[in-house]
């Protein structure tokens, strides 16, 4: 079998957690391949709402193996908290969760460096989640990082001391006040806890599963427009959030990738700084935020809201090779009499469906196509045949523009509010 990949096509928070949970029964294994606790993936079922940060969203389904792959960066303190929060669900965590030995660790000082770097940037800050993601990936590519496998080494204390000494010098350069005494106590406790979990060579595990004809789902974090290569650089995260990231983040060859499920909201949101061509800095944006409850699952920050951006969605579909699309939060647009969709960008005297190189400094005027709204409650609808015609027009227009079918439409946060086409 091949690995199917589910990932976000926008700026994150598309609803990946919900859909991974819905489709997990089709898979024996769900694996996260990049990012870390900057992610906040929400699941809702039986009246329970749960947010996961590092643990894959297949964890609530019995008989599923969940893997935190080598491409993920793990904050052991946050991971421990996440596992503690699962206590009431009776999950046998040692059987349900596998952690790659090669995954890098976020240290208390990585979080300080993240904060110091953001403080130094001032107004130009990325708006990072302050989870230490960027500094941890910098140490990984800079070949200084500590990996999960290192915690079992006799050299662990020395390795930790060496990297923390380097970090302290760097923090000195930023002239940033800090005290990690308490954070280090929690860190050491969580490392002791991590040692009791199931730590594996996950690339072997996954490839053996594929050979045994098992179905594996790779769960993306963040979104394609936050990809370190293809996103709105430098206002991005520090990993490859795209399909290619699933290969390097799990040890799966490109010819072992199967379906790529690209997920998007029926509109757009972004949290943190950076370009957002269709942003609605007005009452309509306020309404979207309010009805859509657009506040970060990880940081609680307000999400910026705007209309669907088809040039960006088409770009994301292209770089990921998405074979199916999933449209989320369709119910939120029920509040609008007229729905706008960006079909092209005007910049530097041209009209184009392609993104400019420097999307940060280029002034973009979105070209909109207006759609009549459907203005009715969708949250109880369970069949595509019962969709109002205004909504089928919307769905079909997007499919035609992107050239990829929309296979799932979501009309509410619950597992049940999911319509398969
Ligand atoms: P993720 O990071 O991609 O997993 O997405 P988040 O969990 O950060 O944000 C998505 C939010 O939308 C969560 O609060 C979900 O419960 C909620 N959600 C998901 N799908 C729908 C939907 O179709 N309609 C509504 N109203 N909410 C949804
Ligand atoms: P999920 O998986 C939305 C954003 C941050 C910031 C930028 C860099 O829930 O979709 P970082 O902490 O990664 O260095 O921050 O990326 N960001 C997200 N935005 N959803 C996420 O994850 C995000 N993870 C990071 O807000 O703009
Ligand atoms: Mg999220």
């Amino acid at each position: 079998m091949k690995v199917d990949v589910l990932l976000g096509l926008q700026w994150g928070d598309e609803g990946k957690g919900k859909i991974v949970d819905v489709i997990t029964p089709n898979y024996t294994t769900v694996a996260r391949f990049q990012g870390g606790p900057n992610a906040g993936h929400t699941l809702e079922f039986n009246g329970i709402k749960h947010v996961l940060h590092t643990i894959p969203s297949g964890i609530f389904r019995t008989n599923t193996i969940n893997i935190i792959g080598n491409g993920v960066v793990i904050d052991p303190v946050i991971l421990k908290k996440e596992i503690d929060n699962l206590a009431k669900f009776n999950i046998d965590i040692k059987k349900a969760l596998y952690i790659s030995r090669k995954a890098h660790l976020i240290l208390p000082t990585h979080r300080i460096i993240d904060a110091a770097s953001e403080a130094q940037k001032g107004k130009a800050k990325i708006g990072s989640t302050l989870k230490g993601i960027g500094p941890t990936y910098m140490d990984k590519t800079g070949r200084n990082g500590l990996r999960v496998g290192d915690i079992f080494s006799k050299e662990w204390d020395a390795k930790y001391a060496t990297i923390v000494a380097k970090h302290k010098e760097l923090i000195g350069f930023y002239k940033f006040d800090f005290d990690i005494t308490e954070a280090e106590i929690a860190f050491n406790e969580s490392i002791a806890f991590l040692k009791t979990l199931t730590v594996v060579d996950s690339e072997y595990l996954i490839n053996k599963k594929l050979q045994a004809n098992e179905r594996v789902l790779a769960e993306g974090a963040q979104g394609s427009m936050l990809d370190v290569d293809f996103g709105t650089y430098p206002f991005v995260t520090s990993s490859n959030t795209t399909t290619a990231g699933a290969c390097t983040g799990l040890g799966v060859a490109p010819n072992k990738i199967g379906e790529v499920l690209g997920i998007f909201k029926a509109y757009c949101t972004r949290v943190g700084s950076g370009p957002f061509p269709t942003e609605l800095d007005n009452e309509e944006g306020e309404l979207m935020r309010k009805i859509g409850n657009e506040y970060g699952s990880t940081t609680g920050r307000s999400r910026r809201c705007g209309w669907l951006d088809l040039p960006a969605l088409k770009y994301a579909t292209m770089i990921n090779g998405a074979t199916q699309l999933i449209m989320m939060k369709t119910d939120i647009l029920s509040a609008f009499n007229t729905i706008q969709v960006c079909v092209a960008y005007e910049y530097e005297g041209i009209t184009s469906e392609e993104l400019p190189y420097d999307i940060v400094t280029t002034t973009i005027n979105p070209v909109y196509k207006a759609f009549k709204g459907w203005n009715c409650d969708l949250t109880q609808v369970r069949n595509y045949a019962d969709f109002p015609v205004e909504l089928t027009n919307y769905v079909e227009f997007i499919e035609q523009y992107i050239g990829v079918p929309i296979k799932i439409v979501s009309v509410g946060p619950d597992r049940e509010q999911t319509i398969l086409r």
Side-chain angles (χ1 to χ4, degrees):
M1 291 301 283
K2 298 192 171 187
V3 173
D4 292 345
V5 184
L6 180 141
L7 42 72
L9 297 177
Q10 296 165 322
W11 284 277
D13 302 328
E14 295 89 351
K16 299 175 289 293
K18 168 180 165 166
I19 295 299
V20 171
D21 171 62
V22 168
I23 65 175
T24 292
N26 300 331
Y27 297 89
T28 67
T29 308
V30 180
R32 277 278 305 272
F33 57 90
Q34 46 67 236
N38 47 350
H41 294 181
T42 315
L43 296 79
E44 273 190 55
F45 54 91
N46 304 339
I48 299 168
K49 178 174 169 169
H50 203 89
V51 183
L52 295 167
H53 302 287
T54 327
I55 296 176
S57 302
I59 197 74
F60 295 104
R61 299 287 195 175
T62 40
N63 302 324
T64 305
I65 299 289
N66 293 269
I67 300 177
I68 301 177
N70 57 279
V72 175
V73 289
I74 300 175
D75 184 328
V77 179
I78 294 178
L79 178 62
K80 181 173 184 302
K81 265 192 212 139
E82 276 188 79
I83 293 174
D84 290 346
N85 287 341
L86 291 177
K88 56 180 176 291
F89 295 97
N90 275 331
I91 297 165
D92 184 347
I93 210 75
K94 281 186 202 170
K95 285 203 182 129
L97 183 68
Y98 287 64
I99 300 164
S100 168
R101 255 184 253 288
K102 294 193 172 79
H104 278 247
L105 289 168
I106 302 176
L107 312 183
T109 39
H110 282 131
R111 299 176 64 126
I112 306 286
I113 296 167
D114 200 354
S117 162
E118 287 284 82
Q120 195 213 32
K121 284 188 155 97
K123 270 192 165 171
K125 72 176 182 183
I126 306 296
S128 104
T129 58
L130 301 178
K131 303 288 176 201
I133 305 294
T136 307
Y137 278 116
M138 278 166 68
D139 273 338
K140 174 178 176 174
T141 50
R143 296 157 298 178
N144 291 314
L146 293 183
R147 301 187 290 177
V148 169
D150 293 328
I151 65 175
F152 300 100
S153 153
K154 282 197 221 94
E155 315 290 315
W156 165 256
D157 286 341
K159 284 183 176 180
Y160 178 80
T162 304
I163 189 167
V164 169
K166 271 191 193 168
H167 286 168
K168 286 183 175 167
E169 274 187 40
L170 182 58
I171 300 164
F173 159 81
Y174 283 115
K175 298 188 177 60
F176 191 81
D177 275 340
F178 73 102
D179 178 0
I180 53 163
T181 324
E182 275 185 29
E184 275 192 325
I185 295 170
F187 180 76
N188 289 331
E189 279 172 12
S190 69
I191 291 293
F193 176 72
L194 186 53
K195 283 183 180 164
T196 68
L197 301 177
T198 310
V199 175
V200 295
D201 294 314
S202 55
E203 62 276 35
Y204 279 115
L205 181 67
I206 291 172
N207 281 286
K208 281 178 189 161
K209 283 179 174 292
L210 297 180
Q211 265 172 3
N213 263 339
E214 288 189 36
R215 297 191 67 190
V216 176
L217 178 66
E219 173 180 1
Q222 291 77 57
S224 305
M225 300 310 289
L226 291 170
D227 180 275
V228 66
D229 281 280
F230 299 108
T232 50
Y233 193 88
F235 298 99
V236 293
T237 191
S238 298
S239 65
N240 282 117
T241 58
T242 41
T243 308
C247 295
T248 55
L250 294 176
V252 168
N255 62 0
K256 295 274 163 49
I257 298 292
E259 293 291 310
V260 178
L261 293 80
I263 181 165
F264 68 100
K265 278 181 195 170
Y267 49 98
C268 281
T269 64
R270 164 160 214 170
V271 60
S273 332
F276 183 176
T278 60
E279 181 168 14
L280 290 167
D281 198 5
N282 58 18
E283 276 174 16
E284 278 177 317
E286 269 307 319
L287 185 66
M288 248 180 221
R289 182 173 314 115
K290 200 167 145 235
I291 304 177
N293 192 25
E294 294 296 356
Y295 299 92
S297 315
T298 299
T299 56
R301 290 179 291 176
S302 288
R303 294 179 185 146
R304 300 153 64 193
C305 296
W307 298 120
L308 186 62
D309 181 337
L310 288 182
L313 193 65
K314 197 168 187 169
Y315 179 72
T317 304
M318 174 182 80
I319 57 177
N320 286 300
T323 57
Q324 308 179 17
L325 298 178
I326 300 172
M327 185 164 88
M328 307 300 290
K329 301 195 90 159
T330 316
D331 51 307
I332 305 307
L333 291 186
S334 298
F336 295 85
N337 297 329
T338 303
I339 297 165
Q340 306 283 352
V341 174
C342 170
V343 292
Y345 289 172
E346 273 176 9
Y347 54 87
E348 292 164 358
I350 60 161
T351 303
S352 175
E353 288 182 10
E354 294 188 3
L355 276 55
Y357 159 68
D358 194 348
I359 195 163
V360 178
T361 56
T362 308
T363 306
I364 293 171
N365 289 315
V367 179
Y368 287 111
K369 178 176 165 61
F371 286 80
K372 189 173 177 302
W374 41 90
N375 285 129
C376 64
D377 179 23
L378 296 176
T379 57
Q380 308 304 320
V381 176
R382 293 294 175 269
N383 293 303
Y384 189 70
D386 298 331
F387 272 12
V389 63
E390 293 85 358
L391 176 53
T392 40
N393 287 342
Y394 192 70
V395 169
E396 286 169 14
F397 179 80
I398 297 166
E399 278 183 333
Q400 268 172 17
Y401 186 104
I402 306 290
V404 175
I406 297 179
K407 295 276 191 156
I408 298 177
V409 178
S410 175
V411 295
D414 194 89
R415 268 182 190 166
E416 306 295 324
Q417 293 168 306
T418 312
I419 292 149
L420 307 181
R421 274 180 84 207

